[in-house]
Amino acid sequence: MSLHPIISYLRVSTSEQGRSGLGIEAQRAALVRFAETEGFEIVNEYVEVETAKGADALTRRPRLAAALAEARQKRCAVVVAKLDRLSRDVHFISGLMSQKVSFIVAELGADVDPFLLHLYASLAEKERALISERTKAALQRAKARGVKLGGDRGNLASICAQGNKASAELRKAKADRRAADIAPIVRAFQKDGLSLRKIASELTTQGYHTARGGKWTAMAVKLIVDRAA
């Protein structure tokens, strides 16, 4: 069976390198697993190192612009590990849709309608706003405890990191609970000889939802298997 060609796009900001949970190598590994699971062949890879500050624009993303050009030429899609590797900005996502190139977000699955990316981008914007609110609340609590904020960037970075860590730990705990619930069902399907794609279809058909409340994909099932191993 021939594999469908696809172009991968990876992005980090300079400040993220060396400390991000989704750095270049992690993104690359996620996309390789996705391609293997969903029947794609990564024919080229574009890596962007770009600051996340300021307004998004293709002029500030030369590697993304190049990926789009090659995807149009080869009539294939561009895949990213997570939506925020493209952007959290709804208007920027809308602009990308006008480029007449299909985008696939590995975390969401291969079958997600591209126009739903607008919805997910809106949710990402909301999450970013909530993170900002939690950070401000953490700063206020720290100030009330007498922590010197002023020009001490070390304290500020530490407080922000604590807020992000708490949010990440909460998401991980929720994913772990969901994996524990679904893993026995997945194992039963595996014993019956079902493929990851077929298991995903059966889970969705029987009314089970992912931790995010969406439909199951082969990649999502594989993550459950790996997590429960």
Side-chain angles (χ1 to χ4, degrees):
M1 183 180 68
S2 60
L3 302 178
H4 300 291
I6 201 166
I7 293 171
S8 65
Y9 176 72
L10 300 77
R11 181 176 72 92
V12 294
S13 69
T14 303
S15 61
E16 282 180 316
Q17 293 186 66
R19 66 180 175 82
S20 174
L22 192 64
I24 291 296
E25 290 304 323
Q27 290 178 61
R28 181 176 291 124
L31 293 179
V32 168
R33 289 196 304 269
F34 172 80
E36 291 175 348
T37 302
E38 297 290 348
F40 290 104
E41 178 186 6
I42 298 176
V43 295
N44 205 353
E45 174 187 280
Y46 289 85
V47 178
E48 197 105 65
V49 177
E50 179 251 10
T51 177
K53 295 181 180 179
D56 281 313
L58 271 178
T59 55
R60 297 174 60 245
R61 304 270 198 92
R63 302 302 290 164
L64 177 56
L68 290 171
E70 183 174 350
R72 280 193 294 269
Q73 181 184 21
K74 294 182 176 177
R75 297 183 178 180
C76 65
V78 173
V79 62
V80 294
K82 296 182 67 176
L83 183 59
D84 64 5
R85 297 305 88 194
L86 286 177
S87 176
R88 290 190 180 95
D89 185 85
V90 176
H91 296 296
F92 185 70
I93 296 294
S94 297
L96 290 179
M97 295 300 101
S98 69
Q99 298 290 321
K100 306 302 182 183
V101 172
S102 297
F103 285 93
I104 296 176
V105 179
E107 183 184 50
L108 303 178
D111 299 325
V112 172
D113 189 314
F115 289 101
L116 287 179
L117 296 183
H118 294 86
L119 173 61
Y120 288 115
S122 297
L123 294 174
E125 277 193 353
K126 179 63 175 178
E127 181 181 17
R128 181 172 55 182
L130 292 174
I131 290 174
S132 177
E133 291 175 4
R134 287 195 295 268
T135 300
K136 289 178 181 178
L139 290 172
Q140 290 175 353
R141 290 194 297 270
K143 186 176 181 179
R145 294 197 304 271
V147 176
K148 181 181 177 181
L149 299 178
D152 189 346
R153 302 300 296 177
N155 279 342
L156 179 60
S158 176
I159 291 168
C160 291
Q162 290 175 20
N164 291 337
K165 181 181 179 182
S167 179
E169 288 176 348
L170 183 61
R171 290 195 299 272
K172 183 179 183 300
K174 181 179 179 182
D176 286 342
R177 288 196 299 271
R178 189 58 177 160
D181 291 339
I182 295 295
I185 303 172
V186 171
R187 291 195 195 97
F189 283 138
Q190 286 182 311
K191 288 181 179 179
D192 289 338
L194 273 64
S195 66
L196 294 177
R197 187 183 292 274
K198 182 61 176 177
I199 292 173
S201 176
E202 287 294 330
L203 288 172
T204 300
T205 300
Q206 295 185 26
Y208 294 102
H209 298 288
T210 65
R212 291 175 177 267
K215 294 183 178 180
W216 286 93
T217 65
M219 186 64 177
V221 174
K222 186 176 187 304
L223 291 175
I224 289 291
V225 173
D226 292 344
R227 186 182 291 269

